Amino acid sequence: MSAFSPPWKDIDDTRPGTPYVVDSDGWGWFALFIIISIPFLAVAGVVVQLSALVCAHPIASLLGYTALTLLIGIIFYARAAIRHRICGVIATVLTMAPLGMGVALYAVPYVMLAGTFSAVFDWILVTGMLFGIIFFIFAVCNLLKNGFIHLIIGLIFCVVMWFFITGQITAQADVLTWESIRNLYGL
């Protein structure tokens, strides 16, 4: 009666033509699965609470996110070797706007309206994907050291992501509609 014996061993040992009987071996794998799932459940709880906070205070969330992006832009373009600093700060806001749009228009409403683990996983996936793309754009623009080029890249990225996010909302028409998003935020 081993806790971590291979979970498929008893199936392999069953003789052909005899019924399969579950034994008590391998229960440690189930316990390990429960222990490993606790951090994922905690992250899911944080995502749901954060989504509820954004829905309860949409204007404050928008202003806070905009202030954060402006602060990041000011810090990023504070170095002396970079040209077109004002364009760079505006570009930072445009580059980070799709993350806010994706979370506010797709991920948060999907979590609040669907309320499934799949919705929470979509929230994490959308946020991670957008954060990765934004990090890549900032890395490239850090090498270019030109705020005007960053503005062009940020504008293109913002427009492309707007079409992508609106397409995702249209694809999830059974759960997400523009009307349900407006009602969720109380607009």
Side-chain angles (χ1 to χ4, degrees):
M1 190 184 282
S2 171
F4 289 103
S5 66
W8 54 86
K9 184 179 181 320
D10 56 349
I11 295 173
D12 293 340
D13 290 342
T14 304
R15 291 186 309 262
T18 60
Y20 169 68
V21 179
V22 179
D23 61 8
S24 60
D25 286 349
W27 62 268
W29 293 111
F30 180 72
L32 187 63
F33 172 73
I34 295 297
I35 291 170
I36 290 173
S37 69
I38 290 172
F40 294 102
L41 293 173
V43 168
V46 168
V47 165
V48 169
Q49 292 298 324
L50 184 62
S51 298
L53 180 70
V54 169
C55 285
H57 308 287
I59 303 299
S61 298
L62 176 67
L63 292 175
Y65 186 74
T66 305
L68 178 69
T69 59
L70 281 171
L71 181 65
I72 290 171
I74 291 168
I75 292 170
F76 190 75
Y77 282 97
R79 294 172 289 166
I82 295 180
R83 296 181 307 182
H84 308 289
R85 288 191 182 121
I86 301 298
C87 290
V89 172
I90 295 168
T92 302
V93 174
L94 282 176
T95 302
M96 294 187 70
L99 179 62
M101 287 187 308
V103 169
L105 295 177
Y106 175 72
V108 168
Y110 194 53
V111 166
M112 298 306 290
L113 296 173
T116 61
F117 185 74
S118 173
V120 172
F121 183 71
D122 278 359
W123 194 98
I124 294 169
L125 190 66
V126 166
T127 305
M129 179 191 71
L130 288 173
F131 187 75
I133 294 170
I134 289 168
F135 182 79
F136 177 73
I137 290 173
F138 274 109
V140 168
C141 292
N142 188 35
L143 294 174
L144 296 175
K145 295 184 180 4
N146 189 336
F148 186 70
I149 295 173
H150 186 185
L151 182 63
I152 294 169
I153 293 170
L155 184 63
I156 292 169
F157 176 60
C158 190
V159 169
V160 167
M161 289 311 298
W162 170 255
F163 286 117
F164 180 75
I165 291 166
T166 55
Q168 283 296 97
I169 292 171
T170 305
Q172 299 289 337
D174 56 332
V175 177
L176 287 178
T177 61
W178 289 107
E179 186 64 32
S180 65
I181 293 171
R182 264 187 251 118
N183 290 338
L184 187 64
Y185 288 118
L187 301 175

